[in-house]
Amino acid sequence: MTNIPPPAEELRLLDAELRQLDARRAVLLRRREWLVHVLRTASAQRSVPGAGQMPPVWPVAPGAAAPRTEATAPGVQNVLLLLGGVLLTVAAIAFTLVGWGHLGITGRALVLAAVTLAALSAPVWLLRRGLGSTAEAVAALGMALTVLDAYALHEVAFDGSGGLGYAAAASAVLSAAWAAYGAAADLLVPRSDAGSPTRPDRARAGAATAARPALRLPLPCAVVTAQVPLLLWALAVDAGPHTLTAVLLVTAAADTVVALRPAHAPVRIVGLVGACVAGALGVLSAGWLCWSAATPGAAARGAVLLLLAAAIALAAARYAPKPEVALCASLAAGLCLVAGAGGVLRAWLPGEWTVPGCLALGIALLTAVRTPLPRPMRQGLVGASLVVQGLAVLWTLPLVAGTLLGPVALIERPWSGTPLDIRDAVFQDAAWPSYATAAPLVLAAVAGVLALAERRAVRRPVSGVGALVLAWAAVVVTPVVLELPYGAGLVADGAVVVVALGVAERARRGTGEPSAPALTALVLALVTSVTLALVSLATEAGTIAVLLALAALFGVASARPGLVAFTAPAALAHATALACAAGASAGLRPEHTALLVLVVPAVAALVAARAERAGRSAATVPVEAAGAAAALLALTLAVTDLPVLASVLALCGVVTAGTALRPERRRAGHAAAALFLLAAWVRLAAWEVTTPEAYTLPVSVAALAVGHLRRRRDPSVSSWAAHGAGLSVTLVPSLLAMWGDPHWLRPLLLGIAALAVTLVGARSRLQASLVLGGGTLALVALHELAPYIAQVVGVLPRWAPPALAGLVLLALGATYEQRLRDARRLREALGRLH
C-alpha cells in the first residue's frame, strides 16, 4: 500500500519541490535573456557587409574577456545586512553611553525597552514573509540591545553591586533569555518558513538529522554566553583553585551534554569546542593541583577532580555518535585516571617509585580489553595505556643513553686504572640520573607487556622487536644500577652479547631468513660489544682480554650463514682494535703498530674469498669494506714515517693484488698497481730524490708495456688509448721541470727522447707518438732558442714587433683559403694515423 506521509511532512516536501521549481525557473529565465542577446547580436552582424560568421557561444566584447560576476546575490545581501546590523549596534552603544544623560530615568527605560522589543519581535514578522537573512540581522541587533539593557540596568539600579557578580548573573540571564527566544521563534514561525526542510530522500531513509531552527543565531550565542556565569561567580566570591577547577569541569560537562544532544550543527559545534577548551583547562589545573600537592590529602582532592574529568570523558565516549570521538574521549579518560592515581601515589611513595606506580596503573588499563564496553572505548583505554607506557620508557632514556655513551670519555684517558665499580667506569664524566633505581623494573615491565602482545599475535613483528629492545635495555642498565664490581660488569655485558647472538640465530632458524627480530638482536649484540670495548679501556689487561674475546666470539658466530654479513665485519673491527691495543701494550710506535694492523686486511681478503667460494656473496662486500677500513687505519698510523709508509703501501698492494686474482675482482688490479706506484714514490721521497723522472719513468715504462701488449691483442685500439697516458706521464712533468732548470743535460736528454718518440710515431704511423713527441721536441727547441730570441727582441726597435705582427696577419689574410686547405690536409693526414 502507498505510504502517505503526515500532513506536516507532506507540506514540507511540497515546499521543497516548489523552491526547486522556482530555482529552475530563474535559471531558464537567465538562459532566455542570453539567447535574446545572442539573436540581437546576430541580426546586427547581418546588417554589416561581410558579416556572416556564427556568433560566439557566449557574448564576448571584441578584445575583452567575457564579463563575469564577482559576487553572488546572497553574498551581497549578507554583507549589506551585516554592515547594517553593525551600524545599528554602534548607534545603540553610542546612544547608551553618550546620549544617556539627555533623558530622564523613565524616558531612558522606555526608549531602550521599546527599541529592544521592536528588534526582538521584528524577526518573527520577517520570517513569516520569507526574509530569513534580514530576520537574522535584526535578531542579532536585538540580542546586542539586550546586552546594553543589562549594562543600563546595572548603571541605574545595581550600581553598588560588584561587577563580577552582576556580570555572572547577567550572563546567566542573557543565556537563558536567548535560548528561550530561539525556542519561541521556532514555535511562532511555521516550520515551512523556518528554513530549508529536510530533504525527501533523507526523510525516507529515516536520517536522524535535527531540523534547522527558525533563527540560527540565538542558540549558539546562548551556548557561548553560558560558558562564563559559573566562572565569573567563582571569581566574584574569591574561590580557591579547587573550586575554580571544579567550575571548569562542570562547565565542560554541560557543554558535553549540549554537544551530544540532537541539536542543530552550529549548537553542537559550539558545545564541542566549549567542552574541549573548558575540559582541557580543568584537567591541566587538576593535574597541577594533584602533582604539586605536598600532602596526600591535597593530592587526593586533586585526584577527585581528575576522576570527575575522567567520568565526564567516559560519559561522552559512551554516547558519542562517532567512533573517533568516542576513542579520543576514552583515551583522555584513561589518562585522567592514571594521572589522578599517580598523583596520590607520588604523595605516598618515595620519589623513585612514582613512575613504576603510574606504569602499573597504565598496564591495569589493558584489562579494558576483557570488558563489555564498546570497541571504540576499549581502544581508547588501550591507547591511554600505551601512552603511559611510552612516557615511562622515555623516563628511562637518560639512564640508557648514559650507560651506552658514557664510556666514550675513556677514549681520552685509556688505561687510567681500575674503577671502583661498573657505575664509576660508565658515569665517571656524566651525571647520574635521579630516581634511576627503578628504571630496570620499568623497562622489564613494558617489555613483558609487549612480549605478551607478540605472543597473542598483536601487531607482529613490531611488538616482538619492541619487547626485545626493552628487555636488552633492562639487562644492560642493571649492572650499573646495582653497582656491580668492574669485572662482574664486564662479564655481564659479555653475556649480553652472547645471548643476543643466540637470539639472532634462533630467530633466523625459525624463519629461514634474516627477519626483523634476528636483525634487531644482531644490532643489539653489536652495540653492546662496542660499549663493552669502550668500558674495558679503563685497564690494560681488561682491554686486551675483552677485545680478544669479542674478536673470537664474532669469528665463531661468522660460521653461521645468516649472521656472517654482520658478525664477520664485527670480528675484523675488534681484531683491528686488538692489534692497536697490542701494539700500545708492547710499547710500539704508531707507525710500527700499523704493520700489526695490516694482518686484518690480509685476513679479510682470505675470508672474503672463502665466503665467495661458499656461496655467501652477501658477506663479501662487508668483509672487504672492513678490511679496507683497517688498511686505511694502518696508512694513517704510518703516515709520519715515510719508509714505513712505503712498506705499508706495498703490503696493501700485495693484499689488493691477491684479491684481484679472483675473477669477480679483476678491477682491483688497478688499485694494486696504484698502491705499488705510491709505495715506490714514497720510497723515493724517503730517499730525498727530487728528480721527477725517477717518479715518472717507471710509470711510463709500465704503461707503455701494457699499451703495447693491448695493441698486439687488438690492433683496432687507438694509439692514444695505448700510449697516450704512458708518454704524457713522463714528457709533461719533464717539460715543466725543464723551464726552471738552468742546466743543459735535461733539455738534451728530453730532446733526444722526444726525437726518438717522433721517429717511432712517424715510422709506425702512430698519431699519439707523433703529436706528443713532435710537440715536446718543438717546445724543447723553443726553450733552447728563448735566450737568443729575447736578445734579438731587445736589439730590435719597439715598432718592429707590431709591424712584423701586422705583416704576418696580412699574409695570412691574403692566403686565408690556402691556409685552410693546408690545415685540412694536415688534419686528414693525422686522421689517417692510428
Side-chain angles (χ1 to χ4, degrees), residues 722-752:
H723 303 139
L727 294 174
S728 301
V729 166
T730 294
L731 293 178
V732 173
S734 298
L735 275 176
L736 297 176
M738 179 191 66
W739 287 101
D741 191 356
H743 302 287
W744 56 271
L745 183 59
R746 178 177 278 112
L748 176 61
L749 296 177
L750 182 59
I752 294 173

mmCIF file of all heavy atoms in Angstrom, residues 722-752:
data_model
loop_
_atom_site.group_PDB
_atom_site.id
_atom_site.type_symbol
_atom_site.label_atom_id
_atom_site.label_comp_id
_atom_site.label_asym_id
_atom_site.label_seq_id
_atom_site.Cartn_x
_atom_site.Cartn_y
_atom_site.Cartn_z
ATOM 1 N N ALA A 722 96.438 3.474 -26.093
ATOM 2 C CA ALA A 722 97.509 2.553 -25.737
ATOM 3 C C ALA A 722 98.744 3.257 -25.200
ATOM 4 O O ALA A 722 99.374 2.796 -24.242
ATOM 5 C CB ALA A 722 97.878 1.705 -26.962
ATOM 6 N N HIS A 723 99.130 4.378 -25.814
ATOM 7 C CA HIS A 723 100.414 5.006 -25.488
ATOM 8 C C HIS A 723 100.281 6.421 -24.954
ATOM 9 O O HIS A 723 101.272 6.985 -24.474
ATOM 10 C CB HIS A 723 101.323 5.033 -26.732
ATOM 11 C CG HIS A 723 101.559 3.680 -27.325
ATOM 12 N ND1 HIS A 723 101.575 3.459 -28.708
ATOM 13 C CD2 HIS A 723 101.750 2.474 -26.760
ATOM 14 C CE1 HIS A 723 101.791 2.182 -28.938
ATOM 15 N NE2 HIS A 723 101.897 1.549 -27.777
ATOM 16 N N GLY A 724 99.101 7.036 -25.086
ATOM 17 C CA GLY A 724 98.967 8.442 -24.701
ATOM 18 C C GLY A 724 99.295 8.689 -23.238
ATOM 19 O O GLY A 724 100.059 9.593 -22.887
ATOM 20 N N ALA A 725 98.714 7.871 -22.347
ATOM 21 C CA ALA A 725 98.946 8.074 -20.916
ATOM 22 C C ALA A 725 100.403 7.825 -20.555
ATOM 23 O O ALA A 725 101.023 8.587 -19.802
ATOM 24 C CB ALA A 725 98.030 7.150 -20.121
ATOM 25 N N GLY A 726 100.996 6.741 -21.098
ATOM 26 C CA GLY A 726 102.382 6.428 -20.761
ATOM 27 C C GLY A 726 103.350 7.506 -21.199
ATOM 28 O O GLY A 726 104.290 7.847 -20.471
ATOM 29 N N LEU A 727 103.159 8.062 -22.388
ATOM 30 C CA LEU A 727 104.051 9.123 -22.858
ATOM 31 C C LEU A 727 103.841 10.420 -22.090
ATOM 32 O O LEU A 727 104.794 11.132 -21.766
ATOM 33 C CB LEU A 727 103.821 9.354 -24.351
ATOM 34 C CG LEU A 727 104.221 8.198 -25.277
ATOM 35 C CD1 LEU A 727 103.808 8.503 -26.706
ATOM 36 C CD2 LEU A 727 105.723 7.934 -25.197
ATOM 37 N N SER A 728 102.572 10.751 -21.795
ATOM 38 C CA SER A 728 102.293 12.023 -21.109
ATOM 39 C C SER A 728 102.830 12.031 -19.687
ATOM 40 O O SER A 728 103.259 13.089 -19.191
ATOM 41 C CB SER A 728 100.783 12.270 -21.082
ATOM 42 O OG SER A 728 100.269 12.311 -22.390
ATOM 43 N N VAL A 729 102.849 10.877 -19.011
ATOM 44 C CA VAL A 729 103.288 10.846 -17.617
ATOM 45 C C VAL A 729 104.722 11.308 -17.470
ATOM 46 O O VAL A 729 105.081 11.966 -16.482
ATOM 47 C CB VAL A 729 103.100 9.416 -17.051
ATOM 48 C CG1 VAL A 729 103.841 9.254 -15.733
ATOM 49 C CG2 VAL A 729 101.633 9.110 -16.859
ATOM 50 N N THR A 730 105.581 11.024 -18.475
ATOM 51 C CA THR A 730 106.986 11.434 -18.380
ATOM 52 C C THR A 730 107.256 12.736 -19.118
ATOM 53 O O THR A 730 107.968 13.613 -18.617
ATOM 54 C CB THR A 730 107.891 10.322 -18.944
ATOM 55 O OG1 THR A 730 107.787 9.192 -18.098
ATOM 56 C CG2 THR A 730 109.349 10.774 -18.984
ATOM 57 N N LEU A 731 106.698 12.916 -20.308
ATOM 58 C CA LEU A 731 107.038 14.093 -21.109
ATOM 59 C C LEU A 731 106.532 15.382 -20.466
ATOM 60 O O LEU A 731 107.256 16.386 -20.416
ATOM 61 C CB LEU A 731 106.440 13.937 -22.504
ATOM 62 C CG LEU A 731 107.034 12.811 -23.370
ATOM 63 C CD1 LEU A 731 106.319 12.744 -24.708
ATOM 64 C CD2 LEU A 731 108.531 13.015 -23.568
ATOM 65 N N VAL A 732 105.294 15.379 -19.948
ATOM 66 C CA VAL A 732 104.734 16.630 -19.396
ATOM 67 C C VAL A 732 105.473 17.075 -18.137
ATOM 68 O O VAL A 732 105.898 18.234 -18.031
ATOM 69 C CB VAL A 732 103.220 16.448 -19.141
ATOM 70 C CG1 VAL A 732 102.661 17.663 -18.422
ATOM 71 C CG2 VAL A 732 102.483 16.232 -20.453
ATOM 72 N N PRO A 733 105.692 16.210 -17.109
ATOM 73 C CA PRO A 733 106.465 16.683 -15.945
ATOM 74 C C PRO A 733 107.898 17.107 -16.306
ATOM 75 O O PRO A 733 108.416 18.072 -15.735
ATOM 76 C CB PRO A 733 106.458 15.471 -15.004
ATOM 77 C CG PRO A 733 105.274 14.682 -15.407
ATOM 78 C CD PRO A 733 105.180 14.846 -16.881
ATOM 79 N N SER A 734 108.529 16.412 -17.245
ATOM 80 C CA SER A 734 109.895 16.801 -17.640
ATOM 81 C C SER A 734 109.903 18.155 -18.327
ATOM 82 O O SER A 734 110.829 18.954 -18.138
ATOM 83 C CB SER A 734 110.490 15.736 -18.554
ATOM 84 O OG SER A 734 110.598 14.498 -17.879
ATOM 85 N N LEU A 735 108.870 18.426 -19.144
ATOM 86 C CA LEU A 735 108.776 19.749 -19.764
ATOM 87 C C LEU A 735 108.639 20.846 -18.722
ATOM 88 O O LEU A 735 109.282 21.897 -18.792
ATOM 89 C CB LEU A 735 107.575 19.784 -20.719
ATOM 90 C CG LEU A 735 107.800 19.278 -22.148
ATOM 91 C CD1 LEU A 735 106.495 19.281 -22.909
ATOM 92 C CD2 LEU A 735 108.831 20.158 -22.866
ATOM 93 N N LEU A 736 107.783 20.606 -17.727
ATOM 94 C CA LEU A 736 107.607 21.611 -16.677
ATOM 95 C C LEU A 736 108.886 21.814 -15.883
ATOM 96 O O LEU A 736 109.238 22.949 -15.510
ATOM 97 C CB LEU A 736 106.470 21.179 -15.740
ATOM 98 C CG LEU A 736 105.077 21.080 -16.386
ATOM 99 C CD1 LEU A 736 104.067 20.552 -15.377
ATOM 100 C CD2 LEU A 736 104.650 22.430 -16.922
ATOM 101 N N ALA A 737 109.622 20.731 -15.606
ATOM 102 C CA ALA A 737 110.877 20.864 -14.874
ATOM 103 C C ALA A 737 111.955 21.519 -15.720
ATOM 104 O O ALA A 737 112.863 22.182 -15.198
ATOM 105 C CB ALA A 737 111.336 19.491 -14.396
ATOM 106 N N MET A 738 111.901 21.341 -17.051
ATOM 107 C CA MET A 738 112.932 21.898 -17.931
ATOM 108 C C MET A 738 112.925 23.421 -17.924
ATOM 109 O O MET A 738 113.982 24.060 -17.986
ATOM 110 C CB MET A 738 112.688 21.372 -19.350
ATOM 111 C CG MET A 738 113.675 21.874 -20.395
ATOM 112 S SD MET A 738 113.112 21.472 -22.055
ATOM 113 C CE MET A 738 111.637 22.463 -22.184
ATOM 114 N N TRP A 739 111.745 24.038 -17.829
ATOM 115 C CA TRP A 739 111.681 25.501 -17.910
ATOM 116 C C TRP A 739 112.320 26.168 -16.702
ATOM 117 O O TRP A 739 112.724 27.327 -16.777
ATOM 118 C CB TRP A 739 110.216 25.943 -18.032
ATOM 119 C CG TRP A 739 109.653 25.647 -19.388
ATOM 120 C CD1 TRP A 739 108.857 24.624 -19.729
ATOM 121 C CD2 TRP A 739 109.888 26.386 -20.585
ATOM 122 N NE1 TRP A 739 108.558 24.643 -21.056
ATOM 123 C CE2 TRP A 739 109.175 25.744 -21.624
ATOM 124 C CE3 TRP A 739 110.639 27.519 -20.901
ATOM 125 C CZ2 TRP A 739 109.190 26.188 -22.942
ATOM 126 C CZ3 TRP A 739 110.643 27.974 -22.210
ATOM 127 C CH2 TRP A 739 109.935 27.323 -23.217
ATOM 128 N N GLY A 740 112.435 25.467 -15.600
ATOM 129 C CA GLY A 740 113.115 26.047 -14.439
ATOM 130 C C GLY A 740 114.488 25.483 -14.191
ATOM 131 O O GLY A 740 115.099 25.767 -13.152
ATOM 132 N N ASP A 741 115.016 24.679 -15.122
ATOM 133 C CA ASP A 741 116.330 24.047 -14.959
ATOM 134 C C ASP A 741 117.375 24.836 -15.746
ATOM 135 O O ASP A 741 117.292 24.949 -16.980
ATOM 136 C CB ASP A 741 116.255 22.599 -15.445
ATOM 137 C CG ASP A 741 117.497 21.807 -15.064
ATOM 138 O OD1 ASP A 741 118.435 22.407 -14.495
ATOM 139 O OD2 ASP A 741 117.525 20.593 -15.347
ATOM 140 N N PRO A 742 118.387 25.376 -15.080
ATOM 141 C CA PRO A 742 119.403 26.164 -15.815
ATOM 142 C C PRO A 742 120.455 25.302 -16.512
ATOM 143 O O PRO A 742 121.247 25.825 -17.311
ATOM 144 C CB PRO A 742 120.042 27.017 -14.705
ATOM 145 C CG PRO A 742 119.890 26.196 -13.470
ATOM 146 C CD PRO A 742 118.603 25.442 -13.628
ATOM 147 N N HIS A 743 120.484 23.996 -16.247
ATOM 148 C CA HIS A 743 121.499 23.128 -16.831
ATOM 149 C C HIS A 743 121.053 22.648 -18.213
ATOM 150 O O HIS A 743 119.889 22.761 -18.593
ATOM 151 C CB HIS A 743 121.780 21.939 -15.902
ATOM 152 C CG HIS A 743 122.233 22.370 -14.518
ATOM 153 N ND1 HIS A 743 123.483 22.894 -14.264
ATOM 154 C CD2 HIS A 743 121.571 22.349 -13.323
ATOM 155 C CE1 HIS A 743 123.589 23.176 -12.975
ATOM 156 N NE2 HIS A 743 122.433 22.863 -12.382
ATOM 157 N N TRP A 744 122.023 22.067 -18.955
ATOM 158 C CA TRP A 744 121.763 21.662 -20.327
ATOM 159 C C TRP A 744 121.442 20.189 -20.476
ATOM 160 O O TRP A 744 120.967 19.752 -21.523
ATOM 161 C CB TRP A 744 123.000 21.956 -21.189
ATOM 162 C CG TRP A 744 124.263 21.278 -20.646
ATOM 163 C CD1 TRP A 744 125.135 21.768 -19.745
ATOM 164 C CD2 TRP A 744 124.725 19.973 -20.991
ATOM 165 N NE1 TRP A 744 126.140 20.885 -19.466
ATOM 166 C CE2 TRP A 744 125.911 19.748 -20.250
ATOM 167 C CE3 TRP A 744 124.276 18.964 -21.849
ATOM 168 C CZ2 TRP A 744 126.633 18.562 -20.331
ATOM 169 C CZ3 TRP A 744 125.010 17.799 -21.944
ATOM 170 C CH2 TRP A 744 126.185 17.601 -21.180
ATOM 171 N N LEU A 745 121.675 19.370 -19.402
ATOM 172 C CA LEU A 745 121.542 17.929 -19.548
ATOM 173 C C LEU A 745 120.076 17.510 -19.743
ATOM 174 O O LEU A 745 119.775 16.686 -20.626
ATOM 175 C CB LEU A 745 122.128 17.229 -18.309
ATOM 176 C CG LEU A 745 122.110 15.697 -18.354
ATOM 177 C CD1 LEU A 745 122.887 15.177 -19.557
ATOM 178 C CD2 LEU A 745 122.686 15.125 -17.066
ATOM 179 N N ARG A 746 119.137 18.041 -18.929
ATOM 180 C CA ARG A 746 117.736 17.634 -19.051
ATOM 181 C C ARG A 746 117.150 18.023 -20.405
ATOM 182 O O ARG A 746 116.500 17.177 -21.046
ATOM 183 C CB ARG A 746 116.902 18.228 -17.905
ATOM 184 C CG ARG A 746 115.424 17.859 -18.020
ATOM 185 C CD ARG A 746 114.572 18.367 -16.878
ATOM 186 N NE ARG A 746 114.644 17.482 -15.720
ATOM 187 C CZ ARG A 746 115.214 17.793 -14.573
ATOM 188 N NH1 ARG A 746 115.773 18.985 -14.421
ATOM 189 N NH2 ARG A 746 115.250 16.929 -13.577
ATOM 190 N N PRO A 747 117.357 19.271 -20.906
ATOM 191 C CA PRO A 747 116.832 19.556 -22.249
ATOM 192 C C PRO A 747 117.406 18.634 -23.314
ATOM 193 O O PRO A 747 116.699 18.224 -24.244
ATOM 194 C CB PRO A 747 117.233 21.008 -22.471
ATOM 195 C CG PRO A 747 117.369 21.583 -21.116
ATOM 196 C CD PRO A 747 117.909 20.483 -20.274
ATOM 197 N N LEU A 748 118.722 18.285 -23.179
ATOM 198 C CA LEU A 748 119.324 17.418 -24.184
ATOM 199 C C LEU A 748 118.683 16.035 -24.162
ATOM 200 O O LEU A 748 118.277 15.501 -25.212
ATOM 201 C CB LEU A 748 120.832 17.320 -23.933
ATOM 202 C CG LEU A 748 121.614 16.370 -24.849
ATOM 203 C CD1 LEU A 748 121.498 16.827 -26.301
ATOM 204 C CD2 LEU A 748 123.074 16.294 -24.423
ATOM 205 N N LEU A 749 118.595 15.450 -22.969
ATOM 206 C CA LEU A 749 118.004 14.116 -22.875
ATOM 207 C C LEU A 749 116.532 14.115 -23.274
ATOM 208 O O LEU A 749 116.058 13.184 -23.945
ATOM 209 C CB LEU A 749 118.172 13.585 -21.451
ATOM 210 C CG LEU A 749 119.622 13.349 -20.985
ATOM 211 C CD1 LEU A 749 119.641 12.893 -19.537
ATOM 212 C CD2 LEU A 749 120.315 12.328 -21.872
ATOM 213 N N LEU A 750 115.801 15.166 -22.859
ATOM 214 C CA LEU A 750 114.388 15.230 -23.213
ATOM 215 C C LEU A 750 114.210 15.408 -24.712
ATOM 216 O O LEU A 750 113.316 14.807 -25.323
ATOM 217 C CB LEU A 750 113.716 16.384 -22.458
ATOM 218 C CG LEU A 750 112.213 16.559 -22.686
ATOM 219 C CD1 LEU A 750 111.463 15.305 -22.273
ATOM 220 C CD2 LEU A 750 111.677 17.765 -21.904
ATOM 221 N N GLY A 751 115.102 16.208 -25.336
ATOM 222 C CA GLY A 751 115.011 16.375 -26.783
ATOM 223 C C GLY A 751 115.314 15.087 -27.521
ATOM 224 O O GLY A 751 114.638 14.748 -28.509
ATOM 225 N N ILE A 752 116.344 14.328 -27.045
ATOM 226 C CA ILE A 752 116.660 13.049 -27.688
ATOM 227 C C ILE A 752 115.478 12.083 -27.548
ATOM 228 O O ILE A 752 115.099 11.397 -28.512
ATOM 229 C CB ILE A 752 117.947 12.453 -27.076
ATOM 230 C CG1 ILE A 752 119.146 13.351 -27.409
ATOM 231 C CG2 ILE A 752 118.174 11.039 -27.566
ATOM 232 C CD1 ILE A 752 120.422 12.953 -26.709
#
